[in-house]
Amino acid sequence: MFDHRIYNFSAGPSMLPQSVLEKCAADMLNYNGSGMSVMEMSHRSKVYDEIIKQAEVLFREVMQIPDNYKVLFLQGGASTQFAMVPMNLLTKSGKADYVVTGQFSKKAYQEAKKFSDKIHLAGTTEDCNFARVPEQNELDLDPEADYVHICLNNTIFGTKWHYIPDTGNVPLVADLSSCILSEPIDVTKFGLIYAGAQKNIAPAGLTVVIVREDLVGKTLPGTPTMLDYAVQIKNESMYNTPPTYPIYVCKLVLEWIKDLGGLEAMKALNAKKCAILYDLLDESKLFNAVAAPADRSMMNVTFRTGNEELDAKFVKESTAAGFSNLKGHRSVGGMRASIYNAMPMEGVEKLAAFMKKFEEENA
Ligand SMILES: *Cc1c(COP(=O)(O)O)cnc(C)c1O
């Protein structure tokens, strides 16, 4: 039944752990003796209530989320958070600092500007096509800002913040869509964390928000009910029908992470996986890593040959060999191997062997 699965290096939606998919298949027609699929259940039923409650308990446990933070299971993707964040947090000075380190943080910055003319570009690395992230001393932060927004892992460019910027008393808001659950993170350093689920959590359709309680309660005039964090908190993510099935898969993924040994173990695995590729790239005479060494992502490895025809040949031949979605984003070119939590070690090892063979044949 699970034969012929290929190594899918897509930036998202991406691979899910095989054991999770097998559990989904086994539970498909009759979940836990309920006589129905999780997809068919009332979100207000007792059997479903246990699923969503357990998903939250596991999220708190795996990420060590303190009690003064709320965990929300929402819809609309990370892109809806680009608007929901300013609608809820831009309520004191109306000022916010945005650091632009790639396409998604740029979109977040542009969206915020719809709500205030005091949105400030506090740092950017666009001059080097986002091949690195700024140092702390390059950030121009305003102590009166309502929040500072960053994107922790830049999915398209393959960079990652290797430190959490010091924003003083100003809450730090971070898009963790492509690195959440990949390693331990100190939640207390953030005011709000959000992530679309389709990279490391679950299928598309779920957006997880972790928000410090004291930051919510006020909204900009005209904020839709659905986009008010306080409403979602009060209704325990059930103001309307939540994305029931992705929340169930999220619970299974968190169990899988816990069984592996939690986020420390996940980090060790991810560090090993990406080192296989970065070591190869650093030694290669054909391929080059795109991201600055100090800011390399563990999740998205960007590389190129420097020759567009050769890049295209690599993508074509790798696809034929059973590695899918290795073509880089059009704004970077070249290749990108997205190796999220669920990508097995074996997939990375086989890709590395394929790259070495390609190099021998094309150098
Ligand atoms: C994929 C991604 C997004 C977009 O997520 P949607 O859920 O499709 O809106 C935003 N930010 C980052 C960092 C991403 O990787």
Side-chain angles (χ1 to χ4, degrees):
M1 186 177 183
F2 290 105
D3 284 355
H4 308 298
R5 276 179 61 78
I6 60 172
Y7 294 112
N8 176 11
F9 291 89
S10 167
S14 48
M15 292 182 83
L16 285 161
Q18 182 159 325
S19 62
V20 167
L21 294 176
E22 284 167 355
K23 182 90 172 76
C24 290
D27 283 351
M28 186 56 73
L29 297 182
N30 183 355
Y31 174 79
N32 220 2
S34 64
M36 60 180 96
S37 162
V38 174
M39 291 184 216
E40 302 168 302
M41 284 172 188
S42 163
H43 57 294
R44 307 208 186 270
S45 63
K46 190 163 173 292
V47 58
Y48 188 75
D49 196 56
E50 274 171 26
I51 294 174
I52 191 168
K53 290 265 157 57
Q54 193 56 22
E56 179 176 343
V57 165
L58 285 164
F59 235 111
R60 288 185 174 281
E61 185 181 340
V62 167
M63 282 188 72
Q64 296 182 21
I65 301 170
D67 287 345
N68 63 326
Y69 286 75
K70 298 290 182 187
V71 179
L72 295 171
F73 298 110
L74 308 179
Q75 304 194 43
S79 303
T80 297
Q81 294 306 308
F82 298 167
M84 196 163 171
V85 165
M87 283 176 160
N88 286 264
L89 301 189
L90 215 45
T91 48
K92 288 179 190 142
S93 65
K95 297 202 270 185
D97 281 334
Y98 276 72
V99 186
V100 172
T101 53
Q103 196 153 305
F104 291 116
S105 48
K106 191 174 196 175
K107 280 188 174 168
Y109 167 61
Q110 283 164 344
E111 190 76 356
K113 287 207 269 187
K114 292 189 170 183
F115 300 97
S116 167
D117 53 11
K118 290 182 277 186
I119 304 299
H120 172 231
L121 184 61
T124 176
T125 47
E126 192 159 16
D127 59 344
C128 63
N129 199 28
F130 303 118
R132 65 180 192 92
V133 300
E135 300 294 337
Q136 176 82 45
N137 64 16
E138 292 176 88
L139 303 179
D140 175 25
L141 300 177
D142 179 350
E144 279 178 17
D146 286 337
Y147 62 92
V148 178
H149 181 282
I150 65 167
C151 175
L152 206 64
N153 183 79
N154 299 286
T155 322
I156 291 174
F157 300 90
T159 63
K160 186 201 154 188
W161 289 74
H162 281 278
Y163 67 100
I164 296 174
D166 180 0
T167 58
N169 291 325
V170 179
L172 180 61
V173 174
D175 179 354
L176 261 64
S177 294
S178 53
C179 60
I180 193 164
L181 302 177
S182 65
E183 61 180 326
I185 186 155
D186 182 355
V187 174
T188 65
K189 295 267 195 293
F190 299 86
L192 188 149
I193 287 169
Y194 64 87
Q198 64 273 22
K199 282 120 191 188
N200 252 347
I201 307 177
L206 167 66
T207 312
V208 174
V209 173
I210 302 164
V211 58
R212 215 176 67 207
E213 239 163 24
D214 61 286
L215 296 178
V216 304
K218 268 177 89 180
T219 53
L220 296 182
T223 296
T225 309
M226 277 291 289
L227 300 187
D228 182 340
Y229 291 125
V231 169
Q232 296 290 357
I233 290 169
K234 185 160 170 276
N235 291 278
E236 300 182 312
S237 306
M238 289 215 199
Y239 177 78
N240 73 333
T241 317
T244 51
Y245 199 74
I247 292 168
Y248 157 71
V249 182
C250 164
K251 170 186 165 287
L252 298 181
V253 167
L254 289 163
E255 284 168 353
W256 174 77
I257 292 173
K258 222 183 122 177
D259 286 348
L260 277 172
L263 292 186
E264 282 295 350
M266 206 73 248
K267 180 184 185 178
L269 264 173
N270 286 326
K272 221 167 147 184
K273 282 192 292 180
C274 75
I276 293 175
L277 296 181
Y278 286 126
D279 288 350
L280 184 154
L281 293 169
D282 286 341
E283 284 167 17
S284 172
K285 292 193 174 67
L286 183 69
F287 299 108
N288 302 300
V290 174
D295 301 327
R296 287 171 174 176
S297 166
M298 286 206 294
M299 299 281 101
N300 312 96
V301 179
T302 46
F303 58 101
R304 55 169 83 106
T305 64
N307 174 331
E308 278 180 32
E309 274 172 36
L310 214 48
D311 286 350
K313 187 174 180 221
F314 179 87
V315 170
K316 194 164 167 239
E317 291 184 9
S318 62
T319 307
F323 306 99
S324 80
N325 288 302
L326 282 165
K327 192 176 190 313
H329 190 272
R330 62 190 178 283
S331 58
V332 189
M335 281 74 72
R336 170 178 51 175
S338 294
I339 49 173
Y340 298 113
N341 285 352
M343 170 60 68
M345 183 71 71
E346 186 193 53
V348 177
E349 285 166 352
K350 287 195 170 157
L351 173 63
F354 177 85
M355 288 169 71
K356 278 187 190 145
K357 185 164 152 279
F358 186 89
E359 175 162 352
E360 279 163 23
E361 291 167 359
N362 293 279

